[in-house]
Amino acid sequence: MKLFFRRILCALLALSLLASAAALAEEAGYAALSYGMKDTDATAPAVKALQDRLKELGYMDKSVPSTGGFWNATATALSAFQRAAGLTVNGKLASPETQRALFASGAPAKGGSASASQTGGIRQGSRGSNVTAMQRRLIELGYLKDRADGDYGPNTAKAVAAFQQANGLPVNGALASEETLAALNAASAVTPAPTATPTPGGVKYGDRSSQVAAMQRRLIELGYLKDVADGIYGQNTARAVVAFQQANGLTVNGNAASAETLAALNSDGAPAAATATPAPTAAPQTTTSGDTPVSFAALQLHDRGAQVAAMQRRLIELGYLRDVADGIYGQNTAKALAAFQQANGLTVNGNTASAGTLGLLLSTSATPLRQADIRYKERGSRVTDMQRRLIELGYLKGPADGDYGPNTAKAVAAFQQASGLTVNGNLATAEMLTALNSDAAKPASAATPTPTPAPTPAPGTANSDGQIQQADGSYIYAPIQYGARGSVVEEMQLKLLNLGYTEDFPDGQFGPKTGEALAAFQQAAGFPVNKRLASSEVLGLLFSNDAPRFVPAQVPEDTAPSGPIVKPDSYPNLRAGMTNNADVRLMQDRLRQLGYFKGASTGNYFDETAAAVKKFCRAILGASYTKSGQAVGEVELRALYSEGAPTYAQYTARENGADGGSAGTATEGYADLHYGDKGDAVVKAEKQLRAIFGGLGSDPEGEYGVSTVLIVARFQTYFGYPVNGTVLTAQQQKLLFSSGSKARLAEIRRAEGGVINE
């Protein structure tokens, strides 16, 4: 009997687990999930549930395990679902709205949304792009005061019924028949009778309502607001209200649109923005949740925690951060925040996320990163995404291989023609990509057969992308002179940053630092060095896939580091993001002396320094070192400043297998031990190392693993041997097991006045 009940209990538990994915999405109001999130960041496996549901509906490959990590495959599948469900397409953000649609019982399966002609109309409860199209037409005609969300719910049913009644059709709001749909899409469709506009009361910053949306539509109509009418009174709306109030001589308060302001706004005599000269005002320092203002505590570089993770997720969502939301405010996060601040007109200081910065970042008014252009001959996932969309719309007949070649260029030009954009198949501009990924993108079948060609710049004249058209129709880059400013300079700086020639964030100004980086690139590429001119030929190579990356000069193998070793007084932990730090500057000097670092000793611990640290750590710790060089501690620093520190030439020789190793040597009964070895000899060495230095960490006893590598490196550092923790030589073992090893270590410690951190 007990066995029977146990089996029943197990069966119930299994059923519960099968239902967990859908149930999970019903909890906690569908918290937004964004690109880069992992289930370890949350309290429940929300990303895994999302992946399971996408597989169930056919958008993801069921043979691939649900990892709980929100990366490219999940984003691609989510985009496909959003498009099928008639939602705003942004595969890198699973908004609460998207999750509600995804986990709904009527969620459209891949390739399974039915058309009106197949079903005899559209019924209440349906979801999909056909519902979205119907809703858009109802909104256009004035019957639906809602958004086109692809969900045929009660509001849509009321709008359908109102349309049917006004157009003399049988009234049944729960069914948009074929007759109703034909009348709806006809040019002769009757609009609803106008209703008197009620006298509005005031609205304030943070309000969310249809009254706010109506105000926004009027501000857009008059040219004060360059945004969407989303019904949310945010910072962009506040600025527009201020501009309108100033133009009309009203009391200026962007945080509140009084009844007087609204009355003036909706009057026939309201002036357009072109006649006004509004002055900008400071953005509010709060964001809102409903009607309650929410304040944010400022964050600083090196902070950690849930608030940092939330900031990172929002930066990822807006396109500024290409990293994971790990809750650590490091250098990559600081650079992303600086870019956000610059794009949103804030004071640029990536090392501090002020309350004002966070308020704007987490609001709906935050400006996303301008989508970068894609150029001919580029390769990568962005090209693949563009090709998939061109294939979907019928412009491209080839595979989405991620290679921007001639066929893709023809497809780009065709789409540009059909969309009324400047035609240049060699350049997919940000404007074009936005149009391509919008719901209103024209399919190839809808393209105008003989479009009017867009005007091209006169020969020798640079266009807005910094390019000059040649007589054969091809484009070359216009030269950029020292002192130039603008987006073209910014793109050049960004490319130099990505290739490793500079650590400075792009500012759009061709100054001395940009000249130094340009000269380094010219030298690496074999061009004449000219810090004050980026020629067409230099720019052509810089923006191509063949552009050479920065490679530090190698120290010849037979050249020993020159000069005395300048050691610090202590060995504090150093990490990326530190600026103007004396210990970092000293470390850079020593790394340069050994050949790992070629930059200036600025005291700033950025990417170039981290790369040098990584190489040195690999030189002393071998393949067991798998970190990115973003931090360095006492063990590594003592090794760096030791007489036996390996040079960059020795490191590259070992990486290339040219050092020959020392395997097979033996001294008085001791044989060399290597990383990965196991056995009694390793057990014996570990016991002696433990007796001198303390614990060995988590490695199984008798296995030469990562912890053993670290403690061997300590031993070699303290006893003056060349530091390579992956090999404990026979000669070193002879000293290790000598009776005076502990006494000698104690003597060294006393002389240095310090201890080893265990």
Side-chain angles (χ1 to χ4, degrees), residues 483-505:
R485 296 168 179 255
S487 60
V488 177
V489 176
E490 187 176 346
E491 287 187 16
M492 178 178 73
Q493 292 171 324
L494 182 61
K495 190 66 174 177
L496 289 167
L497 175 66
N498 291 337
L499 291 172
Y501 291 93
T502 180
E503 288 188 352
D504 295 312
F505 195 81

Side-chain angles (χ1 to χ4, degrees), residues 656-707:
N656 296 327
D659 62 347
S662 56
T665 63
T667 301
E668 298 182 15
Y670 296 108
D672 292 351
L673 297 177
H674 297 79
Y675 176 68
D677 284 352
K678 297 180 182 180
D680 294 340
V682 176
V683 173
K684 185 178 177 182
E686 286 178 334
K687 284 182 178 179
Q688 186 67 358
L689 288 165
R690 187 183 295 115
I692 298 175
F693 291 96
L696 268 168
S698 59
D699 289 338
E701 191 172 274
E703 179 177 343
Y704 197 144
V706 175
S707 296

Side-chain angles (χ1 to χ4, degrees), residues 391-705:
I391 291 169
E392 181 182 345
L393 293 172
Y395 291 94
L396 182 60
K397 304 301 182 184
D401 57 4
D403 187 352
Y404 193 157
N407 289 341
T408 303
K410 290 177 183 177
V412 167
F415 176 79
Q416 290 166 335
Q417 282 185 327
S419 303
L421 301 170
T422 301
V423 179
N424 177 4
N426 291 338
L427 179 66
T429 64
E431 180 187 11
M432 185 216 117
L433 293 170
T434 300
L436 180 68
N437 292 307
S438 72
D439 291 337
K442 290 184 179 180
S445 57
T448 307
T450 55
T452 303
T456 57
T461 303
N463 61 20
S464 60
D465 298 301
Q467 296 177 316
I468 299 174
Q469 188 173 18
Q470 302 295 94
D472 61 359
S474 64
Y475 284 81
I476 63 170
Y477 289 95
I480 305 176
Q481 300 276 356
Y482 184 87
R485 296 168 179 255
S487 60
V488 177
V489 176
E490 187 176 346
E491 287 187 16
M492 178 178 73
Q493 292 171 324
L494 182 61
K495 190 66 174 177
L496 289 167
L497 175 66
N498 291 337
L499 291 172
Y501 291 93
T502 180
E503 288 188 352
D504 295 312
F505 195 81
D507 60 3
Q509 301 179 24
F510 192 159
K513 290 185 178 180
T514 303
E516 292 291 340
L518 177 65
F521 173 77
Q522 291 167 333
Q523 187 171 21
F527 288 107
V529 175
N530 186 346
K531 298 180 182 179
R532 304 181 66 85
L533 175 66
S535 66
S536 299
E537 294 78 9
V538 168
L539 292 172
L541 179 60
L542 179 66
F543 287 110
S544 75
N545 291 322
D546 299 322
R549 295 191 63 82
F550 175 75
V551 178
Q554 297 185 9
V555 178
E557 191 168 358
D558 57 353
T559 303
S562 59
I565 302 173
V566 181
K567 297 184 179 181
D569 296 330
S570 60
Y571 299 95
N573 292 337
L574 306 176
R575 58 183 176 179
M578 288 182 168
T579 57
N580 198 27
N581 183 281
D583 289 311
V584 172
R585 190 176 293 111
L586 201 58
M587 178 180 72
Q588 291 170 327
D589 286 341
R590 179 60 173 157
L591 287 167
R592 186 189 304 101
Q593 189 178 37
L594 293 170
Y596 294 92
F597 183 66
K598 303 307 292 183
S601 296
T602 61
N604 300 331
Y605 196 154
F606 293 153
D607 291 346
E608 188 178 350
T609 302
V613 168
K614 178 181 178 180
K615 290 172 184 175
F616 177 75
C617 289
R618 282 186 63 86
I620 63 172
L621 302 175
S624 65
Y625 185 83
T626 57
K627 299 178 183 178
S628 59
Q630 298 289 318
V632 62
E634 181 191 5
V635 173
E636 295 87 353
L637 290 172
R638 285 189 180 276
L640 178 67
Y641 293 108
S642 70
E643 294 287 349
T647 65
Y648 182 75
Q650 292 169 333
Y651 158 71
T652 54
R654 185 159 64 244
E655 288 284 297
N656 296 327
D659 62 347
S662 56
T665 63
T667 301
E668 298 182 15
Y670 296 108
D672 292 351
L673 297 177
H674 297 79
Y675 176 68
D677 284 352
K678 297 180 182 180
D680 294 340
V682 176
V683 173
K684 185 178 177 182
E686 286 178 334
K687 284 182 178 179
Q688 186 67 358
L689 288 165
R690 187 183 295 115
I692 298 175
F693 291 96
L696 268 168
S698 59
D699 289 338
E701 191 172 274
E703 179 177 343
Y704 197 144

Side-chain angles (χ1 to χ4, degrees), residues 150-488:
D151 186 353
Y152 195 156
N155 289 345
T156 303
K158 289 178 184 177
V160 168
F163 173 80
Q164 291 167 332
Q165 187 171 23
N167 286 266
L169 300 168
V171 178
N172 179 5
L175 174 64
S177 63
E178 290 186 3
E179 182 184 12
T180 297
L181 294 172
L184 181 67
N185 293 304
S188 58
V190 177
T191 57
T195 56
T197 303
T199 302
V203 290
K204 63 183 184 301
Y205 184 82
D207 283 353
R208 301 179 179 221
S209 65
S210 58
Q211 191 175 354
V212 174
M215 177 183 75
Q216 290 171 323
R217 284 193 289 270
R218 182 61 170 157
L219 287 167
I220 292 169
E221 179 184 344
L222 293 173
Y224 293 95
L225 181 59
K226 307 296 183 183
D227 208 338
V228 295
D230 57 3
I232 303 171
Y233 197 148
Q235 297 196 24
N236 289 348
T237 303
R239 294 189 184 103
V241 168
V242 166
F244 176 79
Q245 290 168 333
Q246 287 180 327
N248 284 268
L250 301 168
T251 301
V252 177
N253 179 8
N255 290 334
S258 64
E260 180 187 13
T261 295
L262 294 177
L265 180 67
N266 291 308
S267 69
D268 292 336
T275 63
T277 55
T281 61
Q285 294 290 303
T286 60
T287 187
T288 60
S289 176
D291 294 327
T292 307
V294 179
S295 297
F296 295 95
L299 296 172
Q300 300 288 338
L301 187 69
H302 307 313
D303 281 351
R304 296 176 179 235
Q307 192 174 347
V308 175
M311 176 179 74
Q312 290 171 320
R313 282 194 287 271
R314 182 61 169 154
L315 288 168
I316 291 169
E317 176 186 331
L318 293 173
Y320 292 94
L321 180 60
R322 297 180 182 277
D323 208 336
V324 295
D326 57 4
I328 302 173
Y329 193 157
Q331 193 57 40
N332 286 346
T333 303
K335 289 180 180 178
L337 188 68
F340 170 79
Q341 290 165 332
Q342 188 173 32
N344 285 266
L346 302 171
T347 301
V348 178
N349 179 7
N351 293 342
T352 300
S354 66
T357 293
L358 291 172
L360 178 57
L361 175 67
L362 299 171
S363 75
T364 56
S365 303
T367 301
L369 181 67
R370 182 179 68 85
Q371 195 169 16
D373 299 342
I374 305 178
R375 301 175 186 277
Y376 185 67
K377 291 190 177 180
E378 274 193 37
R379 299 186 180 190
S381 59
R382 295 183 65 235
V383 177
T384 304
D385 291 341
M386 178 180 72
Q387 290 172 323
R388 285 176 179 153
R389 183 62 170 152
L390 288 167
I391 291 169
E392 181 182 345
L393 293 172
Y395 291 94
L396 182 60
K397 304 301 182 184
D401 57 4
D403 187 352
Y404 193 157
N407 289 341
T408 303
K410 290 177 183 177
V412 167
F415 176 79
Q416 290 166 335
Q417 282 185 327
S419 303
L421 301 170
T422 301
V423 179
N424 177 4
N426 291 338
L427 179 66
T429 64
E431 180 187 11
M432 185 216 117
L433 293 170
T434 300
L436 180 68
N437 292 307
S438 72
D439 291 337
K442 290 184 179 180
S445 57
T448 307
T450 55
T452 303
T456 57
T461 303
N463 61 20
S464 60
D465 298 301
Q467 296 177 316
I468 299 174
Q469 188 173 18
Q470 302 295 94
D472 61 359
S474 64
Y475 284 81
I476 63 170
Y477 289 95
I480 305 176
Q481 300 276 356
Y482 184 87
R485 296 168 179 255
S487 60
V488 177

Side-chain angles (χ1 to χ4, degrees), residues 34-125:
S34 59
Y35 186 84
M37 285 183 66
K38 297 180 292 185
D39 281 336
T40 51
D41 298 332
T43 57
V47 177
K48 184 177 183 300
L50 185 82
Q51 293 168 329
D52 289 341
R53 181 60 170 160
L54 288 167
K55 288 179 183 179
E56 182 182 337
L57 295 173
Y59 295 96
M60 286 188 76
D61 187 350
K62 293 182 180 180
S63 65
V64 177
S66 299
T67 62
F70 196 147
W71 302 112
N72 290 338
T74 304
T76 300
L78 191 63
S79 294
F81 169 76
Q82 289 167 332
R83 191 169 289 115
L87 302 168
T88 300
V89 179
N90 179 3
K92 293 189 176 181
L93 176 65
S95 65
E97 179 189 12
T98 293
Q99 292 180 67
R100 277 194 293 272
L102 180 67
F103 288 99
S105 58
K110 186 173 183 180
S113 52
S115 66
S117 61
Q118 292 171 317
T119 61
I122 310 174
R123 297 183 179 277
Q124 187 172 354

